[in-house]
Amino acid sequence: MKQSQLGVSFLVFAQTFSAAIFVVVANTVFTQSLINETQRLVPSIDPAAVLAAGGSADAIRKLAAPGTPELAALLKAFSNAFDYVCYLMIALAGISIFASFGMGWVDTRKAKPEPKTEAPAEAPAEA
């Protein structure tokens, strides 16, 4: 019984710890790819201003005039940066699927004792 409790507690710890780590990793991937995509697609807009604007749609649209190619390119830069984060999450999901095949299966249910049945008495053989 103690082994199953230990296994469940380790599973919860691993899920929580990996979620905390990969939120930071995903944020770093998004930030760095947004800087790179902004420099590549919209060199006229400062990447620091893009990061300072945050994720608000109004703040992003204030960085470039409406209907200009800069606004379309800036929105494309945000889209590309988000795509990279999605690629990271898809890769992690694929890794976890393949890792799950190596874990095996252990039945932790208690085995029920089989009911004892007496063998039926044999009928005397007729002569």
Side-chain angles (χ1 to χ4, degrees):
M1 183 69 172
K2 289 185 180 186
Q3 289 180 348
S4 65
Q5 293 170 351
L6 181 64
V8 170
S9 64
F10 179 74
L11 179 67
V12 170
F13 168 75
Q15 288 176 337
T16 306
F17 186 71
S18 62
I21 294 295
F22 283 104
V23 163
V24 174
V25 171
N27 187 29
T28 303
V29 167
F30 179 76
T31 302
Q32 292 301 314
S33 58
L34 181 60
I35 290 170
N36 293 337
E37 291 294 310
T38 301
Q39 289 174 343
R40 186 175 68 87
L41 296 174
V42 196
S44 61
I45 298 177
D46 183 28
V50 174
L51 289 177
S56 168
D58 291 334
I60 294 168
R61 293 181 189 278
K62 288 180 183 176
L63 293 173
T68 61
E70 283 93 13
L71 180 60
L74 184 60
L75 293 175
K76 180 70 174 164
F78 267 90
S79 176
N80 289 348
F82 182 72
D83 286 347
Y84 293 131
V85 174
C86 289
Y87 297 149
L88 172 68
M89 294 301 132
I90 290 169
L92 290 174
I95 290 169
S96 66
I97 287 171
F98 285 114
S100 68
F101 290 122
M103 290 185 180
W105 175 260
V106 176
D107 190 4
T108 58
R109 296 177 292 187
K110 291 183 180 179
K112 294 181 182 177
E114 294 184 22
K116 295 181 181 178
T117 57
E118 293 182 22
E122 291 184 22
E126 294 180 27

